[in-house]
Amino acid sequence: MFLINCPFCGEREEKEFSYGHEAHIARPENPENLSDAEWADYLFMRKNTKGVHLERWVHTAGCRRWFNMARNTHTNEVLAVYLMGEQPPKEIRDMIDGKKKS
Amino acid sequence: MTKYSIFSLLRNAMGYHRDWQQAWRSPDPKPEYDVVIVGGGGHGLATAYYLAKEHGITNVAVLEKGWLGGGNTGRNTTIIRSNYLWDESAHLYEKSLQLYEGLSQDINYNIMLSQRGVLNLAHSLGDVRDTKRRVYANKLNGIDGEYLSPAEIKKLVPIINLDPTIRYPVLGSSFQPRGGTARHDAVAWGLARASDARGVDIIQNCEVTGFDIDKGKITGVQTSRGQIKAKKVGVVVAGHCTVMSDMAGFRMPIESHPLQAMVSDPVKPIIDVVVMSGAVHCYVSQSDKGELVLGAGIDAHNSYSQRGSLHIIEDQIAAVCELFPLFSRMRLMRQWGGIVDTCPDASPIISKTPVDGLYFNCGWGTGGFKATPGSGWVFAHTIARDEPHKLNAAFSLDRFVNGFLIDEHGAAGVAH
């Protein structure tokens, strides 16, 4: 169990929240033009990162609002919380890029 | 390999059990193998065993990053059954159950298979209908099973709470008499010993850090103990399969979640079947030592931490105490987590991949232990022949593209 810092309510127990899986997956603008493989990629394929993972959460038992979160899936350390529609903070992007280079 | 028997036991008793041969060697990796299996859990060892036994391929290495059977093989609740709804799953799990039934003799190692019977409870009208449908589907597939009324359940499990006023009353159950449990460590150790006897090298503390791929074909693996060349590579790493597919350069429809289990203090025999409930998320059996073996559901979030959240256990224990009120004063002795690789359709992937000579066996989610020998048997066939056996043809990675999913969520996806 870990604590999540809801951007609207502050720090609460994980149990108050529900998980919305990987963040930043945009619905294709022209689904009718996609091949089956591209559609499968959108529907099913996931990063499932071991390390810094960008994901969506909703404060189900609180304000019921959605937000994005960066969490280390190996240690469960919550690294950043940011609003829907925003990109992750620069230090998080650097962590993810740094991991790719190594 | 000396054969284990009553005579070898007596002979070694004479020598105060000081001269038992080690069960398997710990060789240094050779520079090249015909087949390298990544992952030394039950499924990986079963694959190596059936490669040697059924296909005569003995120049095989099993690489394990930790210790043998230390992942999900050593962390599950040891339940075995084959009462799945859909034909594809039913045939695959039934093959596995049949192999389990002969495994102790086959590998000359007592896996302590106990076919004590498995109940899957129904708690609502929808549950009852689904359960009956599953039982009928099982019968059509030649799998034993029957539907039990609450009174019949009470005969098998006298301690169960049938009070109709509880939040999720027990309205019925499926019952598979051939289902049961086996000793999970013995499955891993027995398969390791039997594979080793057929010439398979089992290499522990050897982590795969990359794949050597030349023009779309696998040529070997990079490991923490140097490069190992291989004509074919089979990956059976459960929770870490997307870490492997990232190295190989293709994507997987898998998310890894923590799944928790726990055991109580040992007590005298109180429950002699396996009771499972997908609706209230709990499963209970009693080990030979007398501990209650209890399983919880998965945490919703992705994680590789091998530990789950406390509230998952609280929910699960609440369900156990409602079904079995007399367990409410027992104490839990140990609790642990493993990382399970879940597929969107709650069915495994046993498949060729976009890389020639690279095969993946993953996505078993919360219920891989019951499939151990069957999974190894079909995966060995897939690797040896470079094409799937008819039992696992439907479990390809392509099914997420062509849409032929095997949706086992309702029937079997939650409680394993």
Side-chain angles (χ1 to χ4, degrees), chain B residues 16 42 117 121 124 195 202 238 246-247 249 263 315 343 362 402:
Chain B
Y16 297 97
L121 303 180
S124 66
S195 311
I202 294 163
D246 283 350
M247 290 175 192
V263 294
D315 290 351
C343 256
C362 58
N402 61 32

Side-chain angles (χ1 to χ4, degrees), chain B residues 331-388:
Chain B
R331 293 162 195 231
L332 293 181
M333 195 161 63
R334 296 191 304 279
Q335 159 268 331
W336 62 92
I339 299 302
V340 299
D341 40 337
T342 58
C343 256
D345 60 355
S347 287
I349 296 167
I350 314 162
S351 177
K352 297 169 75 167
T353 68
V355 178
D356 266 359
L358 179 64
Y359 309 84
F360 266 60
N361 181 350
C362 58
W364 290 95
T366 57
F369 177 71
K370 71 174 81 68
T372 303
S375 158
W377 195 87
V378 294
F379 197 43
H381 184 282
T382 308
I383 293 172
R385 307 278 178 88
D386 193 36
E387 61 180 16

Side-chain angles (χ1 to χ4, degrees), chain A residues 14 21 40-41 48 50 71 73, chain B residues 240 242 255-256 302 304 309:
Chain A
E14 176 211 336
H21 298 264
D41 196 74
N48 196 28
K50 183 178 185 179
R71 181 176 56 96
T73 56
Chain B
H240 279 71
T242 38
E255 288 190 310
S256 299
N302 292 17
Y304 289 86
S309 298

Side-chain angles (χ1 to χ4, degrees), chain A residues 1-2 14-15 19 21-22 36-37 40-41 44-51 53 55 57 71 73-76, chain B residues 65 240 242-243 251-256 299-305 308-311 314-315 344 400-401 405:
Chain A
M1 187 176 308
F2 40 90
E14 176 211 336
K15 190 181 180 179
Y19 189 56
H21 298 264
E22 186 179 324
D36 286 352
D41 196 74
F44 298 124
M45 302 300 164
R46 294 294 177 262
K47 288 195 177 123
N48 196 28
T49 317
K50 183 178 185 179
H53 188 243
E55 57 199 19
W57 288 80
R71 181 176 56 96
T73 56
H74 193 36
T75 60
N76 280 341
Chain B
K65 77 170 173 179
H240 279 71
T242 38
V243 175
R251 303 190 75 195
M252 298 288 279
I254 298 259
E255 288 190 310
S256 299
D299 281 63
H301 58 263
N302 292 17
S303 180
Y304 289 86
S305 67
S309 298
L310 183 65
H311 64 87
E314 285 175 338
D315 290 351
F400 296 95
V401 175
L405 303 183

Side-chain angles (χ1 to χ4, degrees), chain B residues 32 76 388:
Chain B
E32 184 166 4
N76 61 74

Side-chain angles (χ1 to χ4, degrees), chain B residues 170-194:
Chain B
V170 177
L171 301 181
S173 176
S174 69
F175 180 54
Q176 186 180 20
R178 283 164 63 241
T181 61
R183 173 98 167 94
H184 49 185
D185 294 322
V187 172
W189 298 335
L191 285 167
R193 177 170 172 270

Side-chain angles (χ1 to χ4, degrees), chain B residues 229-244:
Chain B
K229 288 186 183 166
K231 295 188 184 75
K232 293 176 175 179
V233 175
V235 177
V236 206
V237 296
H240 279 71
C241 60
T242 38
V243 175
M244 293 283 130

